[in-house]
Amino acid sequence: MARATAQDADPQTGTEPRPRGRGDRDLVDSLVEVLQERISTGEIPAGTWLRQEHLATELGVSRMPVREALRQLQAVGTVEMIANRGARVRLPSTRDIMEVYELHGVLQAHAGTAAAELITSGQLDRLSRAEAMFRQAVDELRAADSDPAAVQRRWHEANTEFHSVIIEASGNKLLADVVESLHRKVPRNLTWIALGSDVRRLERDAAEHAAILDALTRGDGATAGTLLREHAKRASELLVRTVDEIGQEATPARRR
Amino acid sequence: MARATAQDADPQTGTEPRPRGRGDRDLVDSLVEVLQERISTGEIPAGTWLRQEHLATELGVSRMPVREALRQLQAVGTVEMIANRGARVRLPSTRDIMEVYELHGVLQAHAGTAAAELITSGQLDRLSRAEAMFRQAVDELRAADSDPAAVQRRWHEANTEFHSVIIEASGNKLLADVVESLHRKVPRNLTWIALGSDVRRLERDAAEHAAILDALTRGDGATAGTLLREHAKRASELLVRTVDEIGQEATPARRR
DNA sequence: TCCCGATGAAATGGATCCAGTATTGAAGTT
DNA sequence: AACTTCAATACTGGATCCATTTCATCGGGA
């Protein structure tokens, strides 16, 4: 593995020498991004201890930037740092998940109501495309599950785009940050585990997306808000049920 | 200045040797708390460059924990880090403030509606006491402004307590975190600058608090929610106006 | 056989060191 | 006189070093 330390910062370090342009963008920030992504996707499961030395060698840096990245993840609630023990990926409790989705619903509903008056035709287009993509993914999944992983990716992408557009159309940029911070608290793969098992649910979601799109197109903010709140509420209930089921098993094995 | 490094960790280091109990609670976390507080109160104004060396000597630690603390503050949005330049306290724009208060209103309203059904008699008591304390502070201010700073502290305490109880009574622990993270984005002293100049506004706030308390006592969630949303909306408008006024001046002078 | 204490390995947390970069001020030129 | 260039300075960012703590394994005793 690379070990791109200061000593071998010369250009020909073979394995991904890291562009090394100094201020291309903070190294720490990119580490945060990588780690957050791995945790969100479930590649690094909840409960895992994040060993500084291990991550450092794996990512080809020294422990220092890793330490700072872990601090950021702590501040954001993704990991918990125990004194003299290290950083561990937090496992959200069912209560946490309920609370996340409760607020998610509130904020989505608000975004929907606000968006009904502010949404542009371009955004409506994107919303419509996302809705179509979502439905297509669901159909594809039901027909012949060609490649679950690929469908999952597309489904997730479409879903994210759909809700992102609504939030964006609300005109409140901060809202996007807050919602994202809520999302970070629940690993994505959980969502997929919960929904993947229930195709009827996915179809219902698709129908709800259509109804929301319709309400926004008509400029009916009240309906859009109500639909979005219920949309989130149902997601919450499903998630909680799923987590309860898989929560029986003990905490995941240690990393490495 | 103390400079409590590892070398002079012996007990008799004179000036505030820092209890030095190793895991009493993460050193970095306490630094974060100190810095966040100083920034929130306005003791360290927006725009200030936070010099690592300077803070380190001032706080009696080395640069290392300071660096990690700054990373946490970055993750939380309190400071921005510019590559190879350092950390600077963020200055919220009027747009930021509007957005903060918009979401604040949404979340407070939700908390109020939820709280109406869940609030305990003990919490109602606390709410009532906070309301009284708030009104008393306002009256005191209007009569003979004996000690503005003291009154300001009491006013702020009462206001915080009032809204905290409502959020707590909503039953959603995460809500408290989210609202706090919103609060962090607007320095407290701004609020005071805005409100301190307008006693009539404070009296109106007191009246609104009373109305909210009344609605919650009656279990009228809808009214409580509406009142809270408008409460936040008015605060927003006032804040924005104030920031616009003082925003004319250039960015504050550098620290040190 | 089970429990308790000691020893050793592993990992964190803090400090120091060093390289690279941005800024500031001065000198020199057009 | 103003603008450009260059050098000195200050500060950040990454690496390494070392003390301290925690955990696990092992051995002894009840």
PDB file of all heavy atoms in Angstrom, chain A residues 6 24 26-27 31 57 59 74 82 84 86 103 149 164 166 177 183 190 221 226-229 241 250 252:
ATOM      1  N   ALA A   6       5.951  12.220   3.500  1.00  0.00           N
ATOM      2  CA  ALA A   6       6.686  13.361   2.954  1.00  0.00           C
ATOM      3  C   ALA A   6       7.972  12.906   2.264  1.00  0.00           C
ATOM      4  O   ALA A   6       8.405  13.483   1.289  1.00  0.00           O
ATOM      5  CB  ALA A   6       7.034  14.339   4.077  1.00  0.00           C
ATOM      6  N   ASP A  24      -4.838  21.892  -3.251  1.00  0.00           N
ATOM      7  CA  ASP A  24      -5.898  21.517  -4.198  1.00  0.00           C
ATOM      8  C   ASP A  24      -7.245  21.472  -3.483  1.00  0.00           C
ATOM      9  O   ASP A  24      -8.246  21.836  -4.009  1.00  0.00           O
ATOM     10  CB  ASP A  24      -5.590  20.186  -4.855  1.00  0.00           C
ATOM     11  CG  ASP A  24      -5.107  19.156  -3.862  1.00  0.00           C
ATOM     12  OD1 ASP A  24      -4.662  19.541  -2.760  1.00  0.00           O
ATOM     13  OD2 ASP A  24      -5.173  17.981  -4.168  1.00  0.00           O
ATOM     14  N   ASP A  26      -8.204  20.836   0.948  1.00  0.00           N
ATOM     15  CA  ASP A  26      -7.717  20.263   2.184  1.00  0.00           C
ATOM     16  C   ASP A  26      -7.755  18.744   2.177  1.00  0.00           C
ATOM     17  O   ASP A  26      -8.781  18.139   1.907  1.00  0.00           O
ATOM     18  CB  ASP A  26      -8.557  20.813   3.326  1.00  0.00           C
ATOM     19  CG  ASP A  26      -7.695  21.159   4.507  1.00  0.00           C
ATOM     20  OD1 ASP A  26      -6.573  21.627   4.295  1.00  0.00           O
ATOM     21  OD2 ASP A  26      -8.155  20.938   5.625  1.00  0.00           O
ATOM     22  N   LEU A  27      -6.615  18.172   2.487  1.00  0.00           N
ATOM     23  CA  LEU A  27      -6.510  16.730   2.572  1.00  0.00           C
ATOM     24  C   LEU A  27      -7.498  16.172   3.579  1.00  0.00           C
ATOM     25  O   LEU A  27      -8.194  15.190   3.324  1.00  0.00           O
ATOM     26  CB  LEU A  27      -5.073  16.357   2.971  1.00  0.00           C
ATOM     27  CG  LEU A  27      -4.800  14.882   3.271  1.00  0.00           C
ATOM     28  CD1 LEU A  27      -5.109  14.052   2.048  1.00  0.00           C
ATOM     29  CD2 LEU A  27      -3.365  14.699   3.693  1.00  0.00           C
ATOM     30  N   LEU A  31     -10.512  13.301   3.262  1.00  0.00           N
ATOM     31  CA  LEU A  31     -10.591  12.105   4.099  1.00  0.00           C
ATOM     32  C   LEU A  31     -11.966  11.994   4.739  1.00  0.00           C
ATOM     33  O   LEU A  31     -12.561  10.921   4.782  1.00  0.00           O
ATOM     34  CB  LEU A  31      -9.519  12.147   5.197  1.00  0.00           C
ATOM     35  CG  LEU A  31      -8.066  12.024   4.751  1.00  0.00           C
ATOM     36  CD1 LEU A  31      -7.153  11.995   5.958  1.00  0.00           C
ATOM     37  CD2 LEU A  31      -7.867  10.788   3.900  1.00  0.00           C
ATOM     38  N   THR A  57      -2.379   4.064   6.992  1.00  0.00           N
ATOM     39  CA  THR A  57      -1.643   3.281   5.985  1.00  0.00           C
ATOM     40  C   THR A  57      -2.548   2.972   4.806  1.00  0.00           C
ATOM     41  O   THR A  57      -2.127   3.070   3.652  1.00  0.00           O
ATOM     42  CB  THR A  57      -1.118   1.970   6.596  1.00  0.00           C
ATOM     43  OG1 THR A  57      -2.228   1.240   7.118  1.00  0.00           O
ATOM     44  CG2 THR A  57      -0.127   2.242   7.693  1.00  0.00           C
ATOM     45  N   LEU A  59      -5.002   4.677   3.605  1.00  0.00           N
ATOM     46  CA  LEU A  59      -5.283   5.838   2.768  1.00  0.00           C
ATOM     47  C   LEU A  59      -4.002   6.523   2.305  1.00  0.00           C
ATOM     48  O   LEU A  59      -4.048   7.521   1.592  1.00  0.00           O
ATOM     49  CB  LEU A  59      -6.157   6.828   3.540  1.00  0.00           C
ATOM     50  CG  LEU A  59      -7.533   6.270   3.931  1.00  0.00           C
ATOM     51  CD1 LEU A  59      -8.231   7.188   4.920  1.00  0.00           C
ATOM     52  CD2 LEU A  59      -8.391   6.095   2.685  1.00  0.00           C
ATOM     53  N   GLN A  74     -16.661  13.182  14.433  1.00  0.00           N
ATOM     54  CA  GLN A  74     -17.236  13.212  15.775  1.00  0.00           C
ATOM     55  C   GLN A  74     -18.179  14.404  15.927  1.00  0.00           C
ATOM     56  O   GLN A  74     -19.298  14.280  16.408  1.00  0.00           O
ATOM     57  CB  GLN A  74     -16.132  13.310  16.836  1.00  0.00           C
ATOM     58  CG  GLN A  74     -16.682  13.399  18.255  1.00  0.00           C
ATOM     59  CD  GLN A  74     -15.694  13.981  19.243  1.00  0.00           C
ATOM     60  OE1 GLN A  74     -14.666  14.520  18.860  1.00  0.00           O
ATOM     61  NE2 GLN A  74     -16.000  13.870  20.523  1.00  0.00           N
ATOM     62  N   ILE A  82     -14.125   7.803  22.224  1.00  0.00           N
ATOM     63  CA  ILE A  82     -14.028   7.445  23.630  1.00  0.00           C
ATOM     64  C   ILE A  82     -12.577   7.695  24.043  1.00  0.00           C
ATOM     65  O   ILE A  82     -11.654   7.250  23.364  1.00  0.00           O
ATOM     66  CB  ILE A  82     -14.422   5.980  23.844  1.00  0.00           C
ATOM     67  CG1 ILE A  82     -15.858   5.794  23.361  1.00  0.00           C
ATOM     68  CG2 ILE A  82     -14.281   5.586  25.293  1.00  0.00           C
ATOM     69  CD1 ILE A  82     -16.324   4.373  23.327  1.00  0.00           C
ATOM     70  N   ASN A  84      -9.016   7.748  25.057  1.00  0.00           N
ATOM     71  CA  ASN A  84      -7.974   6.722  25.107  1.00  0.00           C
ATOM     72  C   ASN A  84      -8.399   5.389  24.500  1.00  0.00           C
ATOM     73  O   ASN A  84      -7.697   4.394  24.660  1.00  0.00           O
ATOM     74  CB  ASN A  84      -7.512   6.475  26.545  1.00  0.00           C
ATOM     75  CG  ASN A  84      -6.803   7.675  27.111  1.00  0.00           C
ATOM     76  OD1 ASN A  84      -6.011   8.309  26.430  1.00  0.00           O
ATOM     77  ND2 ASN A  84      -7.120   8.032  28.336  1.00  0.00           N
ATOM     78  N   GLY A  86     -10.494   5.434  21.261  1.00  0.00           N
ATOM     79  CA  GLY A  86     -10.537   5.661  19.825  1.00  0.00           C
ATOM     80  C   GLY A  86     -11.916   6.036  19.327  1.00  0.00           C
ATOM     81  O   GLY A  86     -12.800   6.386  20.104  1.00  0.00           O
ATOM     82  N   LEU A 103     -38.205  14.491  12.266  1.00  0.00           N
ATOM     83  CA  LEU A 103     -37.741  15.814  11.825  1.00  0.00           C
ATOM     84  C   LEU A 103     -37.651  15.877  10.313  1.00  0.00           C
ATOM     85  O   LEU A 103     -37.968  16.904   9.698  1.00  0.00           O
ATOM     86  CB  LEU A 103     -36.382  16.128  12.448  1.00  0.00           C
ATOM     87  CG  LEU A 103     -36.375  16.207  13.969  1.00  0.00           C
ATOM     88  CD1 LEU A 103     -35.045  16.750  14.447  1.00  0.00           C
ATOM     89  CD2 LEU A 103     -37.517  17.088  14.459  1.00  0.00           C
ATOM     90  N   ALA A 149     -27.659  -4.635  -7.306  1.00  0.00           N
ATOM     91  CA  ALA A 149     -26.798  -3.524  -6.892  1.00  0.00           C
ATOM     92  C   ALA A 149     -26.994  -2.313  -7.792  1.00  0.00           C
ATOM     93  O   ALA A 149     -27.129  -1.185  -7.320  1.00  0.00           O
ATOM     94  CB  ALA A 149     -25.336  -3.955  -6.905  1.00  0.00           C
ATOM     95  N   SER A 164     -34.049  16.109  -3.193  1.00  0.00           N
ATOM     96  CA  SER A 164     -33.119  17.242  -3.249  1.00  0.00           C
ATOM     97  C   SER A 164     -33.731  18.416  -3.999  1.00  0.00           C
ATOM     98  O   SER A 164     -33.587  19.566  -3.598  1.00  0.00           O
ATOM     99  CB  SER A 164     -31.812  16.840  -3.943  1.00  0.00           C
ATOM    100  OG  SER A 164     -31.146  15.880  -3.186  1.00  0.00           O
ATOM    101  N   ILE A 166     -36.809  19.201  -4.325  1.00  0.00           N
ATOM    102  CA  ILE A 166     -37.832  19.868  -3.511  1.00  0.00           C
ATOM    103  C   ILE A 166     -37.179  20.791  -2.494  1.00  0.00           C
ATOM    104  O   ILE A 166     -37.589  21.944  -2.306  1.00  0.00           O
ATOM    105  CB  ILE A 166     -38.720  18.822  -2.812  1.00  0.00           C
ATOM    106  CG1 ILE A 166     -39.522  18.047  -3.856  1.00  0.00           C
ATOM    107  CG2 ILE A 166     -39.653  19.499  -1.814  1.00  0.00           C
ATOM    108  CD1 ILE A 166     -40.375  16.957  -3.271  1.00  0.00           C
ATOM    109  N   ASP A 177     -28.419  21.486   4.123  1.00  0.00           N
ATOM    110  CA  ASP A 177     -27.394  21.050   5.072  1.00  0.00           C
ATOM    111  C   ASP A 177     -28.018  20.285   6.236  1.00  0.00           C
ATOM    112  O   ASP A 177     -27.525  19.233   6.641  1.00  0.00           O
ATOM    113  CB  ASP A 177     -26.636  22.264   5.630  1.00  0.00           C
ATOM    114  CG  ASP A 177     -25.799  22.932   4.564  1.00  0.00           C
ATOM    115  OD1 ASP A 177     -25.576  22.304   3.513  1.00  0.00           O
ATOM    116  OD2 ASP A 177     -25.388  24.074   4.788  1.00  0.00           O
ATOM    117  N   HIS A 183     -29.647  12.841   7.441  1.00  0.00           N
ATOM    118  CA  HIS A 183     -29.419  11.631   6.654  1.00  0.00           C
ATOM    119  C   HIS A 183     -28.184  10.884   7.116  1.00  0.00           C
ATOM    120  O   HIS A 183     -28.135   9.656   7.112  1.00  0.00           O
ATOM    121  CB  HIS A 183     -29.247  11.996   5.173  1.00  0.00           C
ATOM    122  CG  HIS A 183     -30.510  11.834   4.397  1.00  0.00           C
ATOM    123  ND1 HIS A 183     -31.168  10.637   4.314  1.00  0.00           N
ATOM    124  CD2 HIS A 183     -31.245  12.707   3.676  1.00  0.00           C
ATOM    125  CE1 HIS A 183     -32.250  10.779   3.578  1.00  0.00           C
ATOM    126  NE2 HIS A 183     -32.324  12.027   3.183  1.00  0.00           N
ATOM    127  N   LEU A 190     -29.179   0.594   5.381  1.00  0.00           N
ATOM    128  CA  LEU A 190     -30.345   0.259   6.187  1.00  0.00           C
ATOM    129  C   LEU A 190     -31.615   0.481   5.374  1.00  0.00           C
ATOM    130  O   LEU A 190     -32.497  -0.372   5.318  1.00  0.00           O
ATOM    131  CB  LEU A 190     -30.392   1.150   7.424  1.00  0.00           C
ATOM    132  CG  LEU A 190     -30.136   0.480   8.761  1.00  0.00           C
ATOM    133  CD1 LEU A 190     -30.418   1.453   9.877  1.00  0.00           C
ATOM    134  CD2 LEU A 190     -31.011  -0.750   8.883  1.00  0.00           C
ATOM    135  N   GLY A 221     -49.400  23.810  -2.310  1.00  0.00           N
ATOM    136  CA  GLY A 221     -48.393  23.610  -1.270  1.00  0.00           C
ATOM    137  C   GLY A 221     -48.908  22.812  -0.092  1.00  0.00           C
ATOM    138  O   GLY A 221     -48.181  21.983   0.458  1.00  0.00           O
ATOM    139  N   THR A 226     -48.490  17.914   3.166  1.00  0.00           N
ATOM    140  CA  THR A 226     -49.096  16.776   3.854  1.00  0.00           C
ATOM    141  C   THR A 226     -48.573  15.454   3.307  1.00  0.00           C
ATOM    142  O   THR A 226     -48.219  14.545   4.064  1.00  0.00           O
ATOM    143  CB  THR A 226     -50.630  16.814   3.678  1.00  0.00           C
ATOM    144  OG1 THR A 226     -51.090  18.123   4.005  1.00  0.00           O
ATOM    145  CG2 THR A 226     -51.285  15.786   4.560  1.00  0.00           C
ATOM    146  N   LEU A 227     -48.517  15.364   1.998  1.00  0.00           N
ATOM    147  CA  LEU A 227     -48.034  14.128   1.383  1.00  0.00           C
ATOM    148  C   LEU A 227     -46.601  13.824   1.824  1.00  0.00           C
ATOM    149  O   LEU A 227     -46.265  12.680   2.141  1.00  0.00           O
ATOM    150  CB  LEU A 227     -48.096  14.245  -0.147  1.00  0.00           C
ATOM    151  CG  LEU A 227     -49.496  14.185  -0.757  1.00  0.00           C
ATOM    152  CD1 LEU A 227     -49.444  14.502  -2.253  1.00  0.00           C
ATOM    153  CD2 LEU A 227     -50.122  12.804  -0.537  1.00  0.00           C
ATOM    154  N   LEU A 228     -45.785  14.853   1.832  1.00  0.00           N
ATOM    155  CA  LEU A 228     -44.387  14.631   2.199  1.00  0.00           C
ATOM    156  C   LEU A 228     -44.253  14.196   3.651  1.00  0.00           C
ATOM    157  O   LEU A 228     -43.427  13.346   3.988  1.00  0.00           O
ATOM    158  CB  LEU A 228     -43.566  15.890   1.929  1.00  0.00           C
ATOM    159  CG  LEU A 228     -43.152  16.051   0.471  1.00  0.00           C
ATOM    160  CD1 LEU A 228     -42.768  17.481   0.161  1.00  0.00           C
ATOM    161  CD2 LEU A 228     -41.993  15.119   0.147  1.00  0.00           C
ATOM    162  N   ARG A 229     -45.073  14.770   4.492  1.00  0.00           N
ATOM    163  CA  ARG A 229     -44.988  14.374   5.896  1.00  0.00           C
ATOM    164  C   ARG A 229     -45.379  12.908   6.060  1.00  0.00           C
ATOM    165  O   ARG A 229     -44.704  12.143   6.742  1.00  0.00           O
ATOM    166  CB  ARG A 229     -45.884  15.249   6.764  1.00  0.00           C
ATOM    167  CG  ARG A 229     -45.939  14.742   8.209  1.00  0.00           C
ATOM    168  CD  ARG A 229     -46.706  15.643   9.143  1.00  0.00           C
ATOM    169  NE  ARG A 229     -45.903  16.781   9.551  1.00  0.00           N
ATOM    170  CZ  ARG A 229     -46.171  18.029   9.257  1.00  0.00           C
ATOM    171  NH1 ARG A 229     -47.240  18.322   8.558  1.00  0.00           N
ATOM    172  NH2 ARG A 229     -45.394  18.992   9.684  1.00  0.00           N
ATOM    173  N   ARG A 241     -39.146  -0.818  12.079  1.00  0.00           N
ATOM    174  CA  ARG A 241     -39.461  -2.245  12.121  1.00  0.00           C
ATOM    175  C   ARG A 241     -38.234  -3.057  11.696  1.00  0.00           C
ATOM    176  O   ARG A 241     -37.843  -4.021  12.347  1.00  0.00           O
ATOM    177  CB  ARG A 241     -40.645  -2.525  11.197  1.00  0.00           C
ATOM    178  CG  ARG A 241     -41.526  -3.658  11.701  1.00  0.00           C
ATOM    179  CD  ARG A 241     -42.698  -3.874  10.761  1.00  0.00           C
ATOM    180  NE  ARG A 241     -43.354  -2.628  10.370  1.00  0.00           N
ATOM    181  CZ  ARG A 241     -43.690  -2.312   9.124  1.00  0.00           C
ATOM    182  NH1 ARG A 241     -43.432  -3.146   8.137  1.00  0.00           N
ATOM    183  NH2 ARG A 241     -44.281  -1.160   8.861  1.00  0.00           N
ATOM    184  N   ALA A 250     -26.074  -9.366  17.795  1.00  0.00           N
ATOM    185  CA  ALA A 250     -25.159  -8.579  18.619  1.00  0.00           C
ATOM    186  C   ALA A 250     -24.490  -7.508  17.779  1.00  0.00           C
ATOM    187  O   ALA A 250     -24.701  -7.419  16.571  1.00  0.00           O
ATOM    188  CB  ALA A 250     -24.102  -9.497  19.229  1.00  0.00           C
ATOM    189  N   PRO A 252     -21.806  -5.642  15.564  1.00  0.00           N
ATOM    190  CA  PRO A 252     -20.968  -6.216  14.507  1.00  0.00           C
ATOM    191  C   PRO A 252     -19.551  -6.506  14.983  1.00  0.00           C
ATOM    192  O   PRO A 252     -19.080  -5.941  15.962  1.00  0.00           O
ATOM    193  CB  PRO A 252     -20.969  -5.129  13.430  1.00  0.00           C
ATOM    194  CG  PRO A 252     -22.179  -4.325  13.708  1.00  0.00           C
ATOM    195  CD  PRO A 252     -22.377  -4.375  15.186  1.00  0.00           C
TER     196      PRO A 252
END
